[in-house]
């Protein structure tokens, strides 16, 4: 069973640049991503929006594999700030998991 | 086992906090590139290297060590390295690059300075006082440490009465022009890459180049900073014939460099893929970022065909400068 952590999605959502809620899950970003990792980036955003903290934590490698190259962002029809959103996830993990 | 993300980020962050750079280099190494060029100390307009080109030979050594450790049992002991690094700069134990290797990267900076002189740009430099911009920890989301560091860099520039900064690579341009203003209220420096400055000066090439060149755009220049037409204009004026891969300008494909320190294997795979796309258009490839340069050169060294990957400053200096 998946635990939902609303506090977690609220904290990430409170970072002013995090705008993943604009994503309508079209898949353009995943198709263009040079990393070829299926969950990069849109499924990660779904995990956050739904409060699936454990799922996000299981995928730390994918989060840190993002090149921040913005190939996805430049082609996103909804103007999602994908690279900044990924940085926000790193910021959360850096603080709460790695104690940086 | 994969490399331990937390410990590696911890070491890089500690280095910024304690020593002012992710890979602290001896001061002399930072400014050696400018020897004998007659560049003045300080001034309202300065060239700012951000240490990127000077760091590449050391980054190469570190990347090789990391690639060797990836998936090895030794990754378990990285936490010890982090503790030791707080007391002693571990980078000094990784080995030093050869003087020839360091000279090669310094030479790109010399090219850039000579190009600016040739275009009659009046500029100075902060030499050993220059600081790294913190781009790597910004990318990793370590914002509180990044912000402190960015303020330190800004203070340095303001104390030296700098108003205009000429950058030499995309990452430093992006930090000083786009990212710092988001963290520092009232930030008022004018920042331009040397490619933009040279275009503005509108000088003509002295020595025509008879070459077929394939252009690799940096993601940061193309998509973050909108620098795409300048390198093309400058190269076209040399007479060189330019060849574009299918993914170019705003659609450029990353070289893999940004994940080299955490996932060297994946970074090499991306570099190989990009090199393949470039090689379809010709065997002389030109880059405009030191990170792209080192990654694509690494991939070219392992390729079956003869490919030459060179910094754009090399071609520009040959064409625009009198004594190269
Ligand atoms: S391209 Fe934009 S809107 Fe489409 S899935 Fe990706 S982030 Fe969402
Ligand atoms: S920014 Fe990250 S998610 Fe987007 S295309 Fe580049 S590597 Fe993929």
């Amino acid at each position: 069973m998946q635990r939902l952590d609303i506090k977690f999605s609220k904290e990430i959502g409170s970072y002013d640049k995090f705008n993943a809620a604009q994503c309508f899950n079209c898949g353009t970003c995943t198709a263009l991503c040079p990393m070829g990792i299926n969950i990069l980036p849109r499924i990660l955003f779904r995990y956050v929006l739904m409060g699936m903290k454990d799922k996000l934590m299981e995928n730390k490698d994918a989060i840190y594999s993002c090149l921040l190259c913005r190939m996805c962002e430049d082609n996103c029809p909804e103007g999602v700030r994908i690279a900044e959103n990924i940085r926000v996830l790193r910021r959360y993990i850096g603080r709460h998991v790695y104690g940086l | 086992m994969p490399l331990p993300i937390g410990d590696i980020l911890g070491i890089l962050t500690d280095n910024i906090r304690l020593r002012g750079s992710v890979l602290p280099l001896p001061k002399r190494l930072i400014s050696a590139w400018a020897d004998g060029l007659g560049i003045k100390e300080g001034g309202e307009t300065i060239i700012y290297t951000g240490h990127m080109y000077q760091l590449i030979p050391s980054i190469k050594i570190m990347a090789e060590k990391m690639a060797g450790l990836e998936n090895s049992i030794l990754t378990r002991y990285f936490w010890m390295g982090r503790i030791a690094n707080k007391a002693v700069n571990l980078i000094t134990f990784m080995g030093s690059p050869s003087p020839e290797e360091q000279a090669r990267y310094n030479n790109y900076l010399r090219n850039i300075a000579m190009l600016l002189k040739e275009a009659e740009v009046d500029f100075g430099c902060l030499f050993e006082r220059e600081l790294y911009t913190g781009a790597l920890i910004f990318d990793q989301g370590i914002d509180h440490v990044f912000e402190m560091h960015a303020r330190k860099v800004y203070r340095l520039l303001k104390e030296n009465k700098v108003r205009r900064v000429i950058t030499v690579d995309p990452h430093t341009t992006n930090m000083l022009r786009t990212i710092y203003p988001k963290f520092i209220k009232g930030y008022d420096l004018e920042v331009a890459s040397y490619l933009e400055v040279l275009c503005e000066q509108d000088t003509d090439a002295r020595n025509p180049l008879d070459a077929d060149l394939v252009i690799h755009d940096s993601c940061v220049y193309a998509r973050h900073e909108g620098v795409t037409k300048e390198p093309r204009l400058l190269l076209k004026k040399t007479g060189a014939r330019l060849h574009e891969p299918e993914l170019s300008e705003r659609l450029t494909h990353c070289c893999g460099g940004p994940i080299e320190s955490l996932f060297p294997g994946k970074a090499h795979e991306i570099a190989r893929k990009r090199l393949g796309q470039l090689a379809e258009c010709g065997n002389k490839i030109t880059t405009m970022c030191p990170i792209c340069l080192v990654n694509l050169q690494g991939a070219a060294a392992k390729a079956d065909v003869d490919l030459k990957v060179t910094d754009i400053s090399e071609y520009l200096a040959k064409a625009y400068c009198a004594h190269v």
Side-chain angles (χ1 to χ4, degrees):
Chain A
M1 252 257 291
Q2 192 64 50
R3 251 180 343 114
L4 301 184
D5 185 337
I6 302 304
K7 211 172 121 219
F8 148 79
S9 32
K10 270 203 174 144
E11 178 176 344
I12 294 195
S14 73
Y15 295 142
D16 54 346
K17 291 281 155 43
F18 194 77
N19 72 339
Q22 274 173 236
C23 166
F24 68 172
N25 211 12
C26 68
T28 308
C29 51
T30 312
L32 291 175
C33 178
M35 290 306 294
I37 300 174
N38 199 29
I39 60 165
L40 254 185
R42 70 195 160 123
I43 298 177
L44 291 173
F45 297 160
R46 285 273 156 305
Y47 291 154
V48 179
L49 296 170
M50 293 168 72
M52 295 164 83
K53 181 176 166 185
D54 296 346
K55 274 291 204 191
L56 194 84
M57 293 306 159
E58 276 167 29
N59 287 291
K60 289 198 284 297
D61 276 10
I63 295 169
Y64 283 94
S65 294
C66 170
L67 300 151
L68 303 182
C69 71
R70 294 204 193 166
M71 178 71 117
C72 52
E73 186 170 320
D74 237 39
N75 293 284
C76 168
E78 288 301 296
V80 179
R81 288 185 290 269
I82 298 174
E84 186 55 24
N85 290 348
I86 296 276
R87 259 189 20 85
V88 166
L89 301 185
R90 290 179 182 176
R91 187 166 135 186
Y92 181 89
I93 295 170
R95 182 177 293 170
H96 294 281
V97 181
Y98 299 138
L100 297 169
Chain B
M1 279 171 91
L3 294 171
I5 299 171
D7 292 324
I8 295 177
L9 297 185
I11 291 174
L12 299 176
T13 309
D14 293 340
N15 276 347
I16 282 266
R17 270 202 198 104
L18 302 168
R19 305 179 182 105
S21 179
V22 281
L23 281 185
L25 296 179
K27 277 189 181 302
R28 180 67 201 112
L29 239 156
I30 300 301
S31 61
W33 67 272
D35 285 355
L37 289 180
I39 302 172
K40 67 181 176 195
E41 178 86 40
E44 278 198 354
T45 299
I46 57 160
I47 186 172
Y48 199 85
T49 73
H51 301 187
M52 296 293 288
Y53 278 93
Q54 302 93 313
L55 275 170
I56 294 296
S58 303
I59 288 180
K60 256 170 104 171
I61 293 180
M62 192 185 81
E64 274 160 26
K65 298 256 189 284
M66 292 298 206
L69 287 172
E70 197 175 25
N71 301 321
S72 100
I73 195 156
L74 290 172
T75 52
R76 281 192 201 156
Y77 304 105
F78 258 77
W79 62 273
M80 287 194 214
R82 183 171 178 199
I83 293 173
N85 186 61
K86 285 188 180 167
V88 202
N89 178 9
L90 285 187
I91 303 300
T92 50
F93 296 101
M94 285 208 168
S96 313
S98 70
E100 296 77 32
E101 175 87 341
Q102 196 70 48
R104 190 163 44 243
Y105 285 88
N106 284 350
N107 211 41
Y108 299 130
L109 294 171
R110 294 176 72 80
N111 288 338
I112 294 169
M114 285 191 290
L115 281 160
L116 290 168
K117 282 193 165 206
E118 199 70 34
E120 297 181 352
V121 180
D122 180 25
F123 65 94
C125 181
L126 297 182
F127 302 101
E128 292 178 5
R129 289 181 297 144
E130 233 195 36
L131 294 166
Y132 169 66
T133 60
L136 191 55
I137 55 162
F138 170 79
D139 283 355
Q140 301 305 346
I142 309 163
D143 286 7
H144 57 297
V145 181
F146 171 76
E147 183 170 343
M148 251 164 41
H149 186 73
R151 288 184 187 283
K152 196 165 144 190
V153 176
Y154 186 52
R155 214 164 33 244
L156 169 80
L157 294 167
K158 292 306 275 184
E159 278 167 7
N160 282 281
K161 309 212 172 350
V162 174
R163 292 183 52 208
R164 188 169 186 235
V165 181
I166 303 173
T167 49
V168 298
D169 71 88
H171 296 270
T172 305
T173 313
N174 179 237
M175 286 296 121
L176 294 181
R177 179 155 74 188
T178 306
I179 305 300
Y180 276 28
K182 293 184 181 160
F183 284 80
I184 303 170
K185 218 170 143 213
Y187 184 90
D188 62 355
L189 296 174
E190 193 190 315
V191 180
S193 119
Y194 80 97
L195 296 168
E196 294 169 300
V197 174
L198 292 178
C199 263
E200 246 171 54
Q201 294 299 102
D202 197 24
T203 42
D204 288 319
R206 292 166 178 267
N207 319 304
L209 289 184
D210 179 20
D212 286 274
L213 302 177
V214 184
I215 290 203
H216 166 72
D217 288 279
S218 124
C219 302
V220 179
Y221 262 159
R223 284 191 283 268
H224 297 45
E225 293 300 319
V227 177
T228 54
K229 63 179 193 311
E230 293 82 356
R232 286 168 176 78
L233 271 172
L234 291 166
L235 284 173
K236 274 185 188 147
K237 275 170 121 182
T238 69
R241 293 167 294 279
L242 303 188
H243 302 272
E244 303 272 358
E246 199 182 326
L247 295 176
S248 76
E249 302 201 38
R250 281 197 80 97
L251 266 185
T252 187
H253 188 288
C254 185
C255 68
I259 53 167
E260 176 82 52
S261 52
L262 295 177
F263 304 99
K266 284 186 197 163
H268 297 165
E269 234 175 88
I270 299 280
R272 211 169 31 244
K273 191 169 157 198
R274 178 54 170 168
L275 189 74
Q277 296 168 1
L278 295 162
E280 279 176 19
C281 308
N283 64 353
K284 278 201 184 108
I285 295 155
T286 184
T287 56
M288 47 198 101
C289 165
I291 309 267
C292 299
L293 176 69
V294 69
N295 273 279
L296 295 174
Q297 275 181 341
K302 292 182 204 141
D304 307 330
V305 280
D306 187 23
L307 297 169
K308 192 171 174 234
V309 185
T310 311
D311 191 82
I312 188 172
S313 68
E314 197 82 355
Y315 292 111
L316 295 180
K318 267 194 197 123
Y320 287 86
C321 296
H323 313 289
V324 174

